[in-house]
Amino acid sequence: MIPQPPLHPDSLLLHADDPLHDGTSVTPPIPWSATFTAEDAQAFARMASEPMHERYYTRYGNPLHRRVARIVADLEGAATGLVAASGMGAISTVALGLLAQGDRVVAQRNHYMGTTKLLSELLARFGVTAEFVDQTDTEAFARALERPAAMVMLESPTNPDCSLTDLAAVATLAHAAGATVVVDNTFATPLNQRPLALGADLVVHSATKYLGGHHDLTAGVVVGDAAMIERLWSTQIVLGATLSPMDAWLLLRGLRTLSVRVHRINESALTVARALAAHPAVESVSYPGLASHPQHALALRQMSGFGGVMGLRLRTGYEGTARFVAGLRLAQHAVSLGGVETLIVHAAAMWAGTLDEAGMRLAGIEPNLVRLSVGLEHPDDLIADLCRGLDALPAG
Ligand SMILES: *Cc1c(COP(=O)(O)O)cnc(C)c1O
């Protein structure tokens, strides 16, 4: 064999999963089956005992699971990976697969809400303690990691405010404390940030977001070394967060265009962020790609692009922010992010039933904060839509 140069990510997205050059269809068939037949008793015994077998029972594996995991593992520079029915399916598999009673986790004050609840509520019931530190403060991690920890859970940029964690520095501190370093790389995608190269042991994704990219499926992925992934697989088959073969097929299809989507979204989001930052009705824009982001130097060091998500603070209160969000035409008012359609959410609206404006301020939930996930619309159209809404806000 002539040695081949390593493929660029654009090509890996199309070829890492090794399509068969055997006259079969270019797109894979959907192995739409919960179970697979064995040729004979010996083959059956092998299927039943071999870890991560892809044609035994779909909860144990499916050929499309394998193909999707291969692509994400290659993009992240990992040996192998595992897919799950959602991002939380992957994250809970990691936590329950690696932690035991008495273990200590160090995590960020700011995480995806499901991760925070998993660590602070569910795992607490099983005797796992978690300490949450300000992720922008590496010294705070150093103090928390003066004592041994089993796991350090990281996520950068975060939701909804796009603050960053110094992944390389914290990974070094974590390893010195004996911890496994897990990074949720959902917001960045493997095209903009590669945590394993910065020292992480495992990378998780909500593939519901950029990897799938079309707001039509939920899925999760975890990648890492072979021994750890096999251990997580043995946990996953009892937890049962199994990705449906149809959703695995949609995810594979979404992944084919990840590179063009992410590069275009990186460019559009920077254009939109700059335009919004210049609008008088905007108090601040938190986007790692802007020089005004307090951690912009870190962003340049550990990211090669800045993604599509930004936090906006408007010069208005709860009602004005709610009217702004509801009045947009192109930016749709819905949770989730990372897809082809631009989505926007009013962070405080999630708490509107339980807290008044003063209560939200006390709890640190600013009533004027929105999260914008830029999609594939033309940036000029998005800017026009957003500025029309901003122009309509009462001055002040
Ligand atoms: C959405 C999200 C999750 C959870 O993923 P699901 O697919 O909704 O289960 C985890 N982490 C981050 C950063 C997310 O944005």
Side-chain angles (χ1 to χ4, degrees):
M1 277 268 280
I2 305 163
Q4 301 289 319
L7 295 177
H8 293 84
D10 311 64
S11 312
L12 282 177
L13 287 162
L14 297 156
H15 298 287
D17 56 320
D18 209 7
L20 306 168
H21 294 291
D22 64 353
T24 58
S25 58
V26 170
T27 59
I30 303 176
W32 194 264
S33 187
T35 187
F36 298 86
T37 55
E39 230 166 80
D40 53 32
Q42 262 181 333
F44 185 79
R46 204 168 49 243
M47 286 155 67
S49 58
E50 199 176 275
M52 302 181 74
H53 201 290
E54 62 177 56
R55 286 180 183 273
Y56 171 58
Y57 184 62
T58 285
R59 178 159 45 78
Y60 285 52
N62 180 283
L64 285 181
H65 293 172
R66 174 76 64 92
R67 291 182 72 146
V68 166
R70 180 72 265 143
I71 294 173
V72 181
D74 273 15
L75 288 177
E76 291 284 9
T80 187
L82 199 61
V83 297
S86 67
M88 284 315 302
I91 293 166
S92 58
T93 296
V94 168
L96 291 162
L98 300 185
L99 295 169
Q101 188 175 26
D103 277 346
R104 181 171 171 263
V105 179
V106 173
Q108 304 180 171
R109 206 170 284 163
N110 227 330
H111 269 292
Y112 180 74
M113 196 192 288
T115 304
T116 302
K117 283 192 174 174
L118 173 71
L119 296 174
S120 64
E121 294 174 20
L122 192 142
L123 288 175
R125 295 199 338 244
F126 299 94
V128 173
T129 57
E131 183 174 341
F132 298 94
V133 304
D134 175 356
Q135 70 173 87
T136 66
D137 182 0
T138 303
E139 288 306 313
F141 280 105
R143 285 191 297 276
L145 291 165
E146 277 166 7
R147 289 184 294 139
M151 180 182 289
V152 172
M153 182 70 82
L154 304 175
E155 182 180 326
S156 181
T158 48
N159 191 18
D161 204 23
C162 291
S163 53
L164 308 182
T165 312
D166 187 335
L167 298 176
V170 176
T172 302
L173 293 166
H175 287 149
T180 300
V181 179
V182 183
V183 176
D184 183 333
N185 203 28
T186 299
F187 271 43
T189 82
L191 298 173
N192 286 332
Q193 178 170 275
R194 293 172 78 236
L196 296 178
L198 298 167
D201 300 301
L202 288 168
V203 172
V204 293
H205 282 276
S206 169
T208 310
K209 317 293 168 53
Y210 288 99
L211 302 187
H214 294 74
H215 300 134
D216 55 7
L217 61 90
T218 66
V221 186
V222 49
V223 300
D225 75 38
M228 209 162 336
I229 293 296
E230 191 178 315
R231 181 166 162 196
L232 295 177
W233 170 82
S234 65
T235 301
Q236 189 190 36
I237 60 172
V238 298
L239 293 177
T242 309
L243 184 62
S244 125
M246 180 69 211
D247 286 351
W249 192 93
L250 285 171
L251 176 52
L252 187 64
R253 187 224 253 228
L255 279 168
R256 301 302 192 202
T257 58
L258 180 70
S259 179
V260 284
R261 286 187 287 108
V262 166
H263 288 118
R264 171 72 182 196
I265 285 171
N266 285 345
E267 274 176 34
S268 293
L270 188 57
T271 306
V272 170
R274 285 186 174 139
L276 293 175
H279 195 286
V282 174
E283 186 181 294
S284 66
V285 178
S286 178
Y287 181 66
L290 290 181
S292 61
H293 189 286
Q295 296 170 292
H296 183 58
L298 173 61
L300 291 173
R301 215 160 57 236
Q302 71 184 15
M303 304 179 80
S304 54
F306 309 106
V309 179
M310 63 192 77
L312 309 176
R313 287 180 183 77
L314 309 182
R315 287 193 202 284
T316 183
Y318 183 89
E319 288 303 326
T321 305
R323 263 200 312 280
F324 166 76
V325 167
L328 298 170
R329 276 190 214 131
L330 296 184
Q332 300 181 71
H333 187 186
V335 291
S336 203
L337 57 102
V340 293
E341 292 94 359
T342 293
L343 299 182
I344 192 162
V345 285
H346 182 191
M350 296 181 195
W351 298 88
T354 36
L355 296 174
D356 61 11
E357 195 161 323
M360 283 190 220
R361 273 190 208 285
L362 266 179
I365 305 152
E366 296 152 302
N368 61 340
L369 175 66
V370 300
R371 182 188 73 199
L372 179 69
S373 168
V374 171
L376 288 182
E377 297 89 347
H378 195 286
D380 292 349
D381 295 335
L382 287 174
I383 291 167
D385 188 33
L386 293 159
C387 286
R388 199 178 39 75
L390 292 170
D391 292 344
L393 288 175

